């Protein structure tokens, strides 16, 4: 009754094994306001014709920002907050039999993110197209039930309510700088019981942490109250009233809300009223007094009483780049902190595009200003500010667990890193405390230096990582892709990292192994195969410098762009195989060079289409092998003996060359992993060059006897040599 359903879905995505954050598949939904029930339907299928192996699929859910996942168990940088997410793990077989669903009652409205991935892979380097692969496809659907009849609860205005079998839905708007919200039920009367069987659920549910407040009223004579400190500012707060009596029992009550406001004292605004733009902006105790109307700082009161309970410092938001923002107080970088009222800074991260980076907060204080037991405490909260420093230091507001910081003489610097902050306004509140001698802090003031940034990646992922900007439709978020065995959210986990010596050895192996191509180059020059020698030199040159540029860390040398070097390396490898096989076919010189050029153009085109597709290179090479086989069969048929005719060439050239080529293909397609890549790929270089040296045919003899037919007109005749090559001579 009074509910309407809506259905939302997004295009399916192919799942990947987790190796870094870019491996996950992210889905971004928006839950509409007044939603009372949210249901996720998780659909999984495979796209290949053959059945896939039964793997475990992990799905994460989080409100406000993408979930921070860590399947590899890597370490995070110091002072980094890892926000937990709700996750569901299920085998593919169980998800295929019955669609997995997740239900959330009274969800928080706004952004919700769903992330899915497969278990971490075995680090094996798969060659695309060589073997059939199984594609796991994941698609979530979101079903919501929205309340169409929602009563608005105004502050200090009683609202009569009657409950039957269905719950009543209310909402109240919480203005900014609300210090407390008091909800009260009065005059509760039940038609079928003596008590007050009413349950109030306040706030929206967020997974996995649920900060919803539940108030159960049982005594009809006593008022039922719920006090919420620092409720979310500038938002509608959902309230659900449910009857705990039977279906035929009616319950009547009066709901009432009272707000306690906290008036901010704007530092910059008051100085602008008194000072001209050319005057200095020094902050002193005298400037804090607004005159006769000022009733003191640090005491909360109702609206219109004239008291101030916090110091508000306006903050300038400067957008630098995508997911890159700098926050700075209008007066500079320092904030005045007192003991009688908290100082407040508001960081606006509510554009919908700010949750894809990392919020970094750095606070510094002069040691001379916090001597003895004096300390500065700070809290970082979303949606509303923590203001109760005098009673508690846990930084907990009504629906959010904040993050505490402290500054003292022994630790004058405090840092906080929040990956993927929730889409909301964030608040940094600070206050000066003297636990052992409170009288010392009454007239004391401390200037705290603030460095506030939203960055795509912390420290740009360091020297062993690359910060990559990822996209899901119009939503952008960033992640670190690590190298050289470094892992972690910001590539700071060195548990499996390579040392500098290991990096240099790997670079030398991958580059110097290409010098093996000097052997086929010299043999080609000696046997007058100059085109083949040029191709081998091209391959050696670009393979050497590509792998010199492909190294992480310190052992890096790039003479051209990485993409150009990679393309030239792949092109050289394919063309080297192409010209070697055609050279073995013993074609006529003109035909051979034409095929050299055509094959090179085809390989260049295929690499542009799919650089890592195995059949784009194997196709031309198999075609060259067919040409070679055809020519050899033709020679065997004309000579009535096996070609090549020499058993020494079979035993000492062809068989070793074919064996080396087969071993190289086996290593390249099935044995390479991320851990042994430096060794196996170096062996691949040696085997590729060695097979080319063994398979190159001997130099063509010019003294071979000729067999000529009768003369034709104009003194021409047809001749052929022992290689069955036809020539027209005079």
């Amino acid at each position: 009754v009074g509910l309407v359903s809506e259905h939302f879905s997004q295009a399916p995505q192919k799942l990947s094994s987790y190796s870094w954050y870019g491996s996950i598949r992210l889905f971004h939904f928006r839950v509409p306001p007044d939603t009372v029930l949210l249901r996720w339907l998780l659909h999984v299928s495979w796209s290949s014709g053959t059945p896939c192996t039964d793997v475990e699929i992990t799905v994460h859910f989080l409100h406000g920002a993408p979930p921070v996942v860590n399947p590899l168990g890597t370490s995070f940088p110091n002072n980094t907050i890892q926000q937990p997410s709700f996750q569901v793990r299920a085998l593919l077989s169980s998800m295929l039999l019955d669609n997995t669903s997740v239900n959330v009652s009274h969800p928080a409205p706004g952004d919700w993110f769903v992330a899915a991935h497969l278990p971490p892979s075995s680090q094996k380097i798969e060659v695309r197209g060589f073997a059939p692969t199984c594609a796991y496809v994941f698609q979530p659907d979101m079903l919501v039930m929205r309340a169409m009849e929602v009563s608005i609860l105004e502050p200090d205005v009683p609202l009569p309510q009657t409950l039957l079998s269905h719950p009543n839905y209310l909402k109240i708007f919480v203005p900014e700088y609300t210090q407390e919200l008091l909800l009260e039920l009065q005059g509760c009367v039940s038609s079928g019981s003596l008590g007050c069987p009413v349950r109030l659920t306040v706030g929206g549910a967020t997974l996995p942490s649920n900060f919803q407040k539940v108030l159960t009223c049982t005594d009809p004579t006593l008022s039922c109250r719920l006090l919420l400190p620092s409720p979310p500012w500038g938002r509608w707060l959902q309230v659900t009233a449910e009857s705990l009596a039977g279906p035929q029992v009616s319950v009547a009550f009066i709901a009432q809300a009272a707000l306690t406001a906290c008036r901010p004292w704007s530092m910059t605004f008051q100085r602008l009223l008194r000072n001209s733009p050319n005057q200095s902006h020094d902050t002193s105790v005298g400037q804090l007094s607004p005159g006769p109307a000022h009733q003191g700082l640090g005491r909360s009161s109702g609206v219109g009483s004239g008291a101030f309970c916090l110091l508000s410092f306006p903050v300038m938001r400067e957008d630098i780049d995508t997911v890159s923002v700098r926050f700075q107080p209008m007066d500079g970088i320092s904030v005045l902190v007192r003991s009688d009222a908290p100082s407040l800074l508001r960081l606006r991260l509510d554009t919908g595009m700010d949750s894809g980076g990392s919020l970094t907060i750095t606070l510094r204080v002069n040691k001379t200003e916090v001597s003895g037991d004096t300390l500065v405490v700070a809290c970082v909260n979303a949606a509303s500010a923590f203001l109760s420093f005098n009673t508690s230091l846990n930084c907990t507001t009504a629906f959010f667990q904040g993050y505490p910081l402290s500054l003292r003489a022994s630790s004058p610097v405090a840092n906080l890193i929040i990956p993927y902050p929730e889409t909301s306004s964030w608040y940094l509140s600070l206050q000066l405390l003297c636990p052992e001698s409170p009288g010392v802090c009454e007239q004391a003031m401390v200037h705290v230096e603030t460095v506030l940034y939203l960055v795509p990646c912390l420290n740009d992922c360091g020297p062993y990582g690359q910060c990559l900007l990822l996209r899901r439709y119009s939503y952008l978020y960033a992640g670190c892709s690590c190298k050289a065995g470094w892992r972690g959210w910001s590539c700071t986990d060195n548990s499996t990292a390579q040392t500098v010596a290991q990096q240099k050895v790997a670079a030398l192996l991958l580059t110097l192994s290409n010098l093996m191509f000097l052997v086929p180059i010299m043999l080609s020059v000696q046997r007058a195969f100059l085109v083949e020698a040029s191709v081998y030199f091209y391959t050696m040159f670009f393979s050497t410098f590509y792998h010199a540029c492909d190294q992480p860390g310190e052992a890096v040398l790039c003479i051209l762009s990485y993409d150009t070097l990679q393309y030239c390396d792949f092109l050289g490898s394919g063309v080297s195989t192409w010209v070697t096989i055609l050279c073995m076919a013993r074609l006529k010189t003109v035909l051979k060079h034409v095929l050299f050029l055509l094959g090179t153009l085809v390989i260049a085109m295929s690499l542009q289409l799919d650089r890592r597709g195995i059949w784009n290179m194997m196709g031309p090479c198999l075609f060259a092998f067919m040409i070679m086989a055809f020519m050899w069969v033709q020679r065997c048929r004309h000579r009535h003996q096996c070609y090549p005719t020499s058993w020494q060439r079979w035993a000492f050239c062809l068989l070793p060359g074919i064996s080396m080529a087969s071993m190289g293909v086996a290593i390249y397609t099935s044995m390479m992993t991320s851990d042994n890549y430096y060794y196996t790929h170096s062996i691949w270089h040696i085997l590729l060059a060695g097979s080319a040296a063994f398979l190159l045919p001997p130099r063509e003899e010019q003294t071979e006897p000729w067999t000529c037919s009768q003369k034709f007109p104009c003194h021409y005749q047809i001749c052929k040599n022992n290689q069955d090559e036809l020539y027209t001579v005079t």
Side-chain angles (χ1 to χ4, degrees):
V1 177
L3 300 179
V4 61
S5 62
E6 296 181 359
H7 186 190
F8 302 89
S9 183
Q10 291 188 11
Q13 296 190 67
K14 178 182 176 182
L15 297 180
S16 299
S17 298
Y18 186 88
S19 59
W20 66 294
Y21 200 82
S23 306
I24 72 167
R25 297 297 175 258
L26 189 67
F27 299 85
H28 180 198
F29 292 90
R30 285 195 63 85
V31 175
D34 304 328
T35 298
V36 298
L37 179 62
L38 167 64
R39 170 173 292 182
W40 301 101
L41 297 179
L42 309 181
H43 307 282
V44 178
S45 61
W46 62 64
S47 61
S48 61
T50 57
C52 298
T53 58
D54 198 11
V55 298
E56 185 181 63
I57 299 175
T58 306
V59 185
H60 301 263
F61 301 86
L62 190 64
H63 169 261
V68 178
V69 302
N70 188 21
L72 301 177
T74 58
S75 63
F76 283 74
N78 296 330
N79 307 309
T80 300
I81 302 299
Q82 185 179 357
Q83 179 71 17
S85 61
F86 178 77
Q87 61 182 15
V88 174
R89 294 181 179 179
L91 293 175
L92 174 66
S93 57
S94 62
M95 298 184 73
L96 288 174
L97 294 176
D98 186 16
N99 290 330
T100 304
S101 62
V102 177
N103 296 333
V104 183
S105 298
H106 310 292
D111 295 334
W112 280 80
F113 292 85
V114 180
H117 61 84
L118 298 177
S121 62
S122 60
Q123 304 299 320
K124 181 180 179 182
I125 300 177
E126 300 286 347
V127 180
R128 188 184 305 167
F130 183 77
T133 58
C134 186
Y136 302 90
V137 180
F138 175 77
Q139 181 183 23
D141 290 345
M142 184 179 74
L143 304 178
V144 298
M145 298 288 291
R146 288 196 303 113
M148 300 301 296
E149 300 176 0
V150 181
S151 302
I152 297 179
L153 181 61
E154 299 182 14
D156 301 323
V157 177
L159 181 64
Q161 293 287 302
T162 301
L163 291 176
L164 295 174
S165 58
H166 300 286
N168 288 4
Y169 302 104
L170 303 85
K171 63 180 179 180
I172 180 174
F173 184 78
V174 181
E176 293 187 7
Y177 303 108
T178 298
Q179 190 171 13
E180 290 179 345
L181 169 62
L182 177 63
L183 294 176
E184 185 175 3
L185 266 64
Q186 301 175 349
C188 184
V189 177
S190 174
S191 63
S193 61
L194 299 178
C196 182
V198 177
R199 180 173 60 196
L200 290 184
T201 303
V202 184
T206 58
L207 302 177
S209 301
N210 189 2
F211 288 94
Q212 283 181 313
K213 307 300 180 182
V214 179
L215 176 63
T216 302
C217 302
T218 56
D219 194 340
T221 59
L222 300 177
S223 61
C224 193
R225 297 183 176 184
L226 177 63
L227 183 63
L228 301 176
S230 296
W233 293 352
R235 297 184 182 182
W236 288 96
L237 189 61
Q238 301 176 5
V239 180
T240 303
E242 299 174 279
S243 173
L244 301 180
Q248 304 299 328
V249 179
S250 64
V251 180
F253 63 91
I254 298 176
Q256 190 169 354
L259 299 175
T260 302
C262 179
R263 297 185 60 194
W265 173 263
S266 179
M267 304 294 293
T268 303
F269 178 73
Q270 294 296 333
R271 283 196 299 274
L272 290 177
L273 292 179
R274 291 190 302 269
N275 300 329
S276 67
N278 296 328
Q279 291 178 323
S280 62
H281 287 186
D282 294 334
T283 302
S284 61
V285 180
Q287 290 176 324
L288 293 177
S289 176
H294 176 58
Q295 297 184 4
L297 296 172
R299 301 182 62 184
S300 61
S301 61
V303 179
S305 62
F308 299 92
C309 65
L310 63 87
L311 306 178
S312 176
F313 289 82
V315 177
M316 178 186 66
R317 172 189 166 116
E318 179 183 0
D319 290 273
I320 301 174
D321 204 341
T322 305
V323 202
S324 182
V325 182
R326 178 175 63 183
F327 298 97
Q328 185 174 348
M330 296 292 291
D331 296 332
I333 61 174
S334 62
V335 176
L336 180 68
V337 180
R338 297 165 56 108
S339 62
D340 50 356
S343 300
L344 184 64
L345 285 81
R346 179 179 183 178
L347 312 179
R348 290 186 176 271
L349 296 174
D350 51 3
T351 64
M353 300 298 293
D354 301 325
S355 58
S358 296
L359 178 62
T360 62
I361 298 176
T362 301
L363 305 179
R364 296 186 182 91
V365 67
N366 194 339
K367 293 182 179 180
T368 59
E369 297 186 14
V370 288
S371 58
D373 66 331
T374 305
L375 76 154
V376 176
V377 292
C379 288
V380 180
N381 293 75
S384 61
F386 179 78
L387 304 175
S388 306
F389 288 100
N390 295 328
T391 59
S392 174
L393 297 178
N394 58 6
C395 296
T396 302
T397 58
F399 300 101
F400 190 84
Q401 174 58 56
Y403 310 115
L405 296 171
S406 62
L407 300 170
R408 61 188 73 205
S410 58
S411 56
V413 180
N415 296 288
L416 182 66
I417 303 169
I418 305 176
Y420 296 158
E422 176 184 334
T423 299
S424 179
S425 290
W426 286 73
Y427 296 90
L428 172 62
S429 51
L430 308 96
Q431 190 166 342
L432 184 65
L433 295 180
C434 298
E436 298 182 1
S437 53
V440 178
C441 291
E442 291 183 358
Q443 300 299 327
M445 292 186 301
V446 176
H447 291 83
V448 177
E449 179 183 345
T450 61
V451 180
L452 311 170
Y453 277 94
L454 176 71
V455 295
C457 303
L458 183 64
N459 296 328
D460 203 21
C461 300
Y464 297 101
Q466 182 181 8
C467 184
L468 298 178
L469 199 61
L470 309 172
R471 183 177 67 89
R472 174 59 177 168
Y473 296 139
S474 61
Y475 180 77
L476 299 176
Y477 57 105
C480 287
S481 177
C482 306
K483 302 179 180 179
W486 289 75
R487 306 187 304 169
W489 188 258
S490 301
C491 301
T492 56
D493 189 339
N494 61 352
S495 58
T496 60
Q498 296 178 348
T499 63
V500 177
Q502 290 175 331
Q503 296 176 32
K504 293 181 178 179
V505 169
L508 291 175
L509 283 175
L510 289 171
T511 54
L512 297 183
S513 60
N514 288 286
L515 296 179
M516 187 66 182
F517 277 97
L518 290 174
V519 177
I521 290 174
M522 291 186 295
L523 290 176
S524 299
V525 172
Q526 180 185 6
R527 299 174 185 179
F529 298 138
L530 300 182
V531 176
E532 291 83 343
S534 302
V535 173
Y536 297 147
F537 179 79
Y538 176 94
T539 303
M540 179 186 70
F541 179 84
F542 281 104
S543 180
T544 299
F545 284 100
Y546 163 65
H547 288 291
C549 184
D550 190 37
Q551 299 306 307
E554 300 180 4
V556 180
L557 175 62
C558 297
I559 62 173
L560 295 173
S561 66
Y562 177 84
D563 187 73
T564 301
L565 291 173
Q566 185 187 67
Y567 181 85
C568 294
D569 173 54
F570 289 10
L571 178 63
S573 300
V575 176
S576 296
T577 308
W578 170 259
V579 300
T580 302
I581 299 175
L582 288 182
C583 186
M584 296 171 59
R586 291 286 196 177
L587 299 171
K588 291 179 62 174
T589 304
V590 176
L591 179 59
K592 180 177 71 172
H593 290 167
V594 169
L595 291 177
F596 280 179
L597 180 59
L598 290 178
T600 302
L601 295 177
V602 172
I603 294 175
M605 178 195 67
S606 64
L607 289 176
Q608 182 64 28
L609 295 175
D610 186 4
R611 191 168 298 182
R612 297 189 178 274
I614 185 64
W615 291 109
N616 289 339
M617 295 180 59
M618 291 295 293
C621 295
L622 290 177
F623 180 70
F625 181 80
M626 293 173 59
I627 295 176
M628 183 197 72
F630 176 78
M631 296 302 299
W632 283 18
V633 170
Q634 285 292 98
R635 289 189 176 90
C636 292
R637 188 172 61 85
H638 283 88
R639 297 185 177 188
H640 303 288
Q641 59 179 339
C642 185
Y643 181 86
T645 58
S646 174
W647 67 269
Q648 290 91 344
R649 175 156 177 77
W650 279 99
F652 300 111
C653 295
L654 295 180
L655 292 180
I658 294 173
S659 300
M660 295 181 70
S662 302
M663 291 176 57
V665 172
I667 291 175
Y668 186 82
T669 56
S670 60
M671 296 180 61
M672 285 190 186
T673 64
S674 300
D675 297 330
N676 65 12
Y677 173 80
Y678 308 104
Y679 313 106
T680 55
H681 201 76
S682 300
I683 296 174
W684 153 255
H685 289 163
I686 295 173
L687 294 176
L688 180 64
S691 63
F694 278 105
L695 295 176
L696 278 175
R699 181 178 184 138
E700 296 182 3
E701 299 293 339
Q702 301 297 331
T703 59
E704 295 178 348
W706 294 86
T707 303
C708 301
S709 62
Q710 60 182 357
K711 288 187 176 181
F712 287 84
C714 301
H715 305 284
Y716 282 93
Q717 58 185 354
I718 302 299
C719 304
K720 65 178 181 178
N721 59 9
N722 290 340
Q723 301 292 332
D724 290 333
E725 295 173 338
L726 301 179
Y727 293 89
T728 303
V729 298
T730 302

